[in-house]
Amino acid sequence: MSETILITGASRGIGRALAEAASAQGLSVIGTQRGAADPIPGVETMALDVTDAAGPAALATALGDRPVDILVCNAGIYEGRGRIGEPAFAAEAWARTFAVNVAGVFLTIEALLPALRRAGHVGGRPRIGVISSQMGSSERAGGGSYIYRASKAAATNLAVNLALDLKGDGIAVAAYHPGWVRTDMGGAQAAIGMEESAAGLMARLGELTLDRSGGFFMWDGPGIPN
């Protein structure tokens, strides 16, 4: 029986590329999206707005008693490009970004824990990948983009702490930097394409075990300092 992977924010960008890559590998793929989007061949679509307090629970209900072997928390936004003194850091931008990039990750994982545990109970290897960014690494600070950097630092910290708390359930958790990717967020001058990033991330998820749980990794393998 093939593994089931659930990817949030799968309507475009890295999320869509991950869904396509997982489907090509023969996994059973569920991709979530907020609104209408082009269908992805071989991918089941479910609704999820991570900023809706009832959204993750509704997703869990829609799953029924199906197990989820791999959960990829990919949904994210990038607000507040610029440096201090520029009009990009309103309180509303901070709130929106943390609602998606941090609270959305936690609430989705919390709601889908029963599905991940079911995968373990039937002999699977449940694991969670949090799509973070090296921009959240304190040792790789570059200034500016304060909201995004802070939210990704928090997302990585969340993954590390969840790894400790979920080890007893046999659930491995890690954070990943997808690379500087040519997407709407990354821009046309970015270093790698979506397909290359997705292939690397799928390989990393494939090698995620409890021994590697709590780590923060590049899409192509090396570890990243928090």
Side-chain angles (χ1 to χ4, degrees):
M1 176 181 266
S2 67
E3 291 187 316
T4 295
I5 183 171
L6 190 150
I7 303 163
T8 68
S11 62
R12 60 178 182 166
I14 294 169
R16 186 180 182 93
L18 276 168
E20 291 172 345
S23 180
Q25 291 180 18
L27 278 68
S28 176
V29 186
I30 301 168
T32 76
Q33 60 185 49
R34 286 185 301 166
D38 293 335
I40 307 172
V43 175
E44 179 182 358
T45 299
M46 287 189 172
L48 176 63
D49 180 348
V50 298
T51 66
D52 178 358
L59 174 62
T61 298
L63 281 171
D65 61 358
R66 296 161 65 180
V68 171
D69 299 274
I70 309 170
L71 170 61
V72 182
C73 294
N74 164 76
I77 60 174
Y78 187 168
E79 294 198 37
R81 298 172 191 259
R83 294 184 180 269
I84 194 164
E86 297 180 18
F89 306 107
E92 294 81 3
W94 283 93
R96 280 192 300 269
T97 302
F98 271 74
V100 176
N101 294 0
V102 186
V105 171
F106 178 83
L107 294 173
T108 300
I109 292 172
E110 185 179 44
L112 296 188
L113 271 180
L116 289 155
R117 289 175 176 138
R118 282 194 292 271
H121 292 159
V122 297
R125 186 164 57 88
R127 50 212 189 270
I128 300 168
V130 175
I131 304 304
S132 185
S133 171
Q134 68 175 354
M135 287 180 69
S137 168
S138 295
E139 293 191 25
R140 297 188 179 182
S145 298
Y146 310 109
I147 300 176
Y148 185 75
R149 289 183 187 278
S151 74
K152 290 303 184 179
T156 300
N157 182 274
L158 185 59
V160 172
N161 282 283
L162 284 168
L164 292 172
D165 288 341
L166 298 180
K167 187 174 183 179
D169 288 304
I171 300 172
V173 188
Y176 298 96
H177 171 58
W180 183 23
V181 187
R182 290 187 290 274
T183 62
D184 290 344
M185 185 182 294
Q189 302 304 312
I192 62 173
M194 290 183 288
E195 294 78 9
E196 187 176 2
S197 173
L201 290 169
M202 288 301 300
R204 304 290 76 74
L205 290 164
E207 68 190 18
L208 177 57
T209 62
L210 289 175
D211 289 340
R212 296 174 67 83
S213 191
F216 183 20
F217 303 101
M218 294 283 290
W219 65 278
D220 55 353
I224 302 173
N226 290 348

